[in-house]
Amino acid sequence: MDKKFARITLDKDFPISRVDKRIYGSFVEHLGRAVYGGVYQPGHPSADEEGFRQDVLDLVKEIGVPIVRYPGGNFVSNFYWEDSVGPVADRPRRLELAWRSTEPNLVGVNEFSSWCKKAGTDLMMAVNLGTRGIDAACNLLEYCNHPSGTKYSDLRIAHGVKDPHNIKVWCLGNEMDGPWQTGHKTAREYGRLADETAKAMKQIDPSLELVACGSSNTGMATYPQWEATVLEEAYDSVDFISLHTYYGNRFNDTRNFLAQSDDMDHFIRTIISTCDFVKAKKRSKKDIMLSFDEWNVWFHANEADDDTMQNRPWSVAPHLLEDHYDFEDALLVGLMLITLLKHSDRVRMACLAQLVNVIAPIMTEENGPAWKQTIYYPYLHASKYGRGIALNPSLRSSKHDTMDFTDVTDVDSVAVWNDEKEELTIFAVNRDLEEDIVLEADVKSFAGYRLLEHIVLEHDDMKAVNSAGRQTVLPKTVTDRDELKDGLLQSRLGKASWNVIRLGKN
């Protein structure tokens, strides 16, 4: 058997891009217990005067989430924003078609904007292009962003919100390629609507960044022609195209599961190529950027979700999409974060879907604490230490094949240089399930740097999970796995492990 190895060369002169902090964004949809019982629970011991759970806010602030997509997701395609503002007692309860629940409208645009301020995050607003269109989108924008003196800006002021929310990133609908979507459209229909909506919205506020819907996943029959057709219509008026993907280990094949980040890499490369094809066709000088605004592991709770929606519909905040993540899920989330960083020149925004209770890093107990799932930790580490300039890792690694993938590197890795703090962070996952592998990193470009710490997430049981009372999967700092000498760093990566190796200037 060939010896396992991994080597990278890191040099300040070979950057990928300065990382847009919004790559560490997240997502809160009116779905299950994400809002009610998640971010908002009046009467909970930690609830503040507005009913927001402080324990959840503390965990969100610990990650440093820079932007949150809201209010959907599939929910937005039947969202009547006017029902979510004004005196709470006057707001109607509505049938929520996407998840067959009842929406009480206790939390709406103004309340969630207030929550974002408390969480120290920006708001990425989605508009309904399913059951509604240009007028509703423009009215909501006027309500949120216009200072005063018009119908909807004055309505906001009458609702007790004097200052505009000044929301700068807007999603033009959600997954409009999906037959499951209320108001599903063809690519040509959606492209025309997105273009006209974008042009109208930019008349109101030219500084907006607008995201057009890309394919819901790579398995769609229309992928990637959908992106090409939509951009043929809307290229000049939008700034981003969205990507969505979720992975699961349905066949309990861990090696194949951990290779799925390679599919994410191929997805990104395909959409970049598609965008640039339309750019060439239009003789444009503008690059369309990518917003990977839904990504995660999602499969654990599928059967329970189907049962709830089919047999017990129309309840308020039912338990839906409450995947309990295990250790191997955390490894794939780490690999997906590495993939996003490798493409940070074009992926400028991304949203881990979602933030609380619904396929989320943070879970809550109704009468108890908020707690961290296994996937919380790679997300925390990347957001905390992945700020700065992503470097081309020039990775060379031994490889293996799996059921669906060939030439899968045993180690995947990327590095981010924080030029302000003069720190270098190497993120690495050893995908080998049996052997430790030594990662050799040429860091001669970083003369005078020393090892600060090596954080590891590892566990002997790939199926280990965390719970409210027990953090079974927990990162630790190791001190016996690294040697830095003459510009060569040798770091032992434990079998099946997430590693954060940090160097700093002496």
Side-chain angles (χ1 to χ4, degrees):
M1 182 191 249
D2 293 338
K3 181 175 172 57
K4 302 292 177 73
F5 71 91
R7 301 186 188 98
I8 57 174
T9 301
L10 301 172
D11 196 301
K12 299 173 187 176
D13 289 335
F14 295 96
I16 299 171
S17 175
R18 184 169 292 279
V19 178
D20 189 322
K21 68 179 181 179
R22 297 177 298 180
I23 208 171
Y24 305 117
S26 193
F27 177 26
V28 171
E29 181 172 1
H30 281 251
L31 191 183
R33 296 194 307 127
V35 175
Y36 306 114
V39 300
Y40 175 81
Q41 191 182 341
H44 188 271
S46 76
D48 65 14
E49 71 285 352
E50 291 185 90
F52 295 128
R53 286 184 59 148
Q54 186 62 51
D55 56 354
V56 171
L57 278 166
D58 289 343
L59 294 183
V60 172
K61 287 190 283 189
E62 184 180 345
I63 295 169
V65 180
I67 195 166
V68 176
R69 183 165 168 252
Y70 175 86
N74 293 348
F75 171 86
V76 81
S77 290
N78 189 48
F79 176 53
Y80 288 76
W81 70 265
E82 301 91 339
D83 295 343
S84 81
V85 298
V88 174
D90 296 341
R91 297 180 191 175
R93 292 162 65 92
R94 291 190 68 105
L95 294 182
E96 199 291 288
L97 303 185
W99 305 104
R100 304 194 79 208
S101 305
T102 297
E103 173 53 54
N105 281 305
L106 302 176
V107 171
V109 172
N110 294 324
E111 288 85 6
F112 196 75
S113 180
S114 176
W115 182 87
C116 286
K117 289 182 175 67
K118 293 181 178 187
T121 188
D122 290 334
L123 177 53
M124 178 195 297
M125 182 67 79
V127 299
N128 178 358
L129 294 187
T131 58
R132 306 188 80 182
I134 301 170
D135 56 345
C138 289
N139 294 345
L140 176 58
L141 174 59
E142 180 185 321
Y143 182 91
C144 289
N145 283 17
H146 197 69
S148 65
T150 62
K151 176 179 177 177
Y152 289 105
S153 60
D154 286 347
L155 183 63
R156 182 196 70 243
I157 294 168
H159 291 159
V161 183
K162 180 178 181 294
D163 296 326
H165 297 311
N166 201 31
I167 300 165
K168 291 302 181 185
V169 181
W170 294 72
C171 299
L172 302 173
N174 175 75
E175 293 186 355
M176 299 310 297
D177 63 326
W180 58 84
Q181 200 71 212
T182 307
H184 160 64
K185 292 169 175 60
T186 66
R188 193 67 65 187
E189 288 169 339
Y190 170 71
R192 288 275 297 118
L193 178 58
D195 183 50
E196 294 302 326
T197 305
K199 287 189 291 189
M201 291 176 73
K202 286 193 174 181
Q203 285 286 91
I204 297 170
D205 186 347
S207 67
L208 298 182
E209 293 181 279
L210 301 180
V211 185
C213 293
S215 295
S216 303
N217 58 73
T218 58
M220 300 298 292
T222 51
Y223 161 82
Q225 183 59 49
W226 171 276
E227 283 81 358
T229 302
V230 167
L231 288 176
E232 282 172 2
E233 297 290 348
Y235 196 96
D236 295 333
S237 55
V238 302
D239 307 283
F240 289 82
I241 191 92
S242 71
L243 298 83
H244 293 178
T245 200
Y246 298 96
Y247 296 117
N249 190 7
R250 299 182 188 280
F251 302 106
N252 196 26
D253 183 339
T254 300
R255 280 163 56 87
N256 196 65
F257 177 61
L258 296 181
Q260 288 183 102
S261 57
D262 286 19
D263 177 78
M264 186 189 204
D265 180 84
H266 186 258
F267 186 8
I268 293 170
R269 292 178 188 277
T270 300
I271 299 308
I272 291 171
S273 300
T274 306
C275 291
D276 290 350
F277 164 72
V278 180
K279 175 185 177 180
K281 193 173 175 183
K282 288 184 170 287
R283 277 63 165 175
S284 176
K285 295 182 179 179
K286 180 176 86 171
D287 286 328
I288 294 290
M289 296 299 168
L290 277 54
S291 176
F292 216 127
D293 50 39
E294 289 189 32
W295 68 272
N296 204 344
V297 173
W298 173 20
F299 75 104
H300 294 285
N302 288 166
E303 289 183 15
D305 298 337
D306 291 343
D307 177 61
T308 297
M309 287 187 286
Q310 289 173 17
N311 300 319
R312 292 179 299 283
W314 314 123
S315 60
V316 175
H319 289 257
L320 286 174
L321 280 65
E322 296 197 14
D323 279 29
H324 281 232
Y325 290 115
D326 57 29
F327 171 61
E328 67 183 13
D329 296 329
L331 291 182
L332 183 58
V333 165
L335 286 159
M336 294 171 83
L337 285 159
I338 287 170
T339 304
L340 292 171
L341 285 167
K342 285 182 175 180
H343 292 285
S344 55
D345 56 333
R346 294 297 289 272
V347 180
R348 295 297 174 87
M349 296 191 294
C351 301
L352 177 71
Q354 294 185 19
L355 190 54
V356 186
N357 285 333
V358 172
I359 47 174
I362 299 168
M363 298 294 289
T364 67
E365 302 295 304
E366 184 177 351
N367 298 309
W371 52 277
K372 302 171 182 176
Q373 293 235 58
T374 62
I375 66 169
Y376 182 93
Y377 294 107
Y379 181 28
L380 167 70
H381 296 151
S383 178
K384 190 173 182 180
Y385 301 120
R387 310 285 178 110
I389 300 169
L391 301 177
N392 188 330
S394 300
L395 176 69
R396 299 171 298 280
S397 170
S398 49
K399 298 177 181 179
H400 61 272
D401 296 339
T402 73
M403 178 174 67
D404 295 321
F405 300 92
T406 57
D407 292 330
V408 179
T409 57
D410 292 328
V411 169
D412 201 7
S413 180
V414 74
V416 177
W417 174 42
N418 188 323
D419 50 334
E420 292 181 3
K421 293 184 177 179
E422 294 195 290
E423 292 180 356
L424 176 70
T425 299
I426 300 170
F427 301 104
V429 173
N430 181 359
R431 292 193 258 208
D432 193 283
L433 305 183
E434 283 87 35
E435 292 186 45
D436 295 358
I437 297 177
V438 174
L439 174 65
E440 295 184 353
D442 182 334
V443 291
K444 295 185 182 72
S445 170
F446 296 90
Y449 278 59
R450 62 182 176 86
L451 183 72
L452 297 178
E453 64 177 340
H454 183 164
I455 304 168
V456 173
L457 193 68
E458 58 189 0
H459 203 282
D460 290 334
D461 181 5
M462 301 300 290
K463 308 300 182 183
V465 299
N466 291 345
S467 64
R470 189 177 180 196
Q471 290 283 290
T472 303
V473 180
L474 196 65
K476 64 183 179 182
T477 300
V478 294
T479 57
D480 60 347
R481 301 191 189 182
D482 306 271
E483 182 181 5
L484 176 58
K485 186 177 181 181
D486 298 329
L488 182 66
L489 173 67
Q490 293 190 310
S491 298
R492 179 165 57 86
L493 312 180
K495 63 180 183 181
S497 63
W498 160 258
N499 299 264
V500 182
I501 304 158
R502 299 180 56 233
L503 309 180
K505 193 82 178 256
N506 280 326

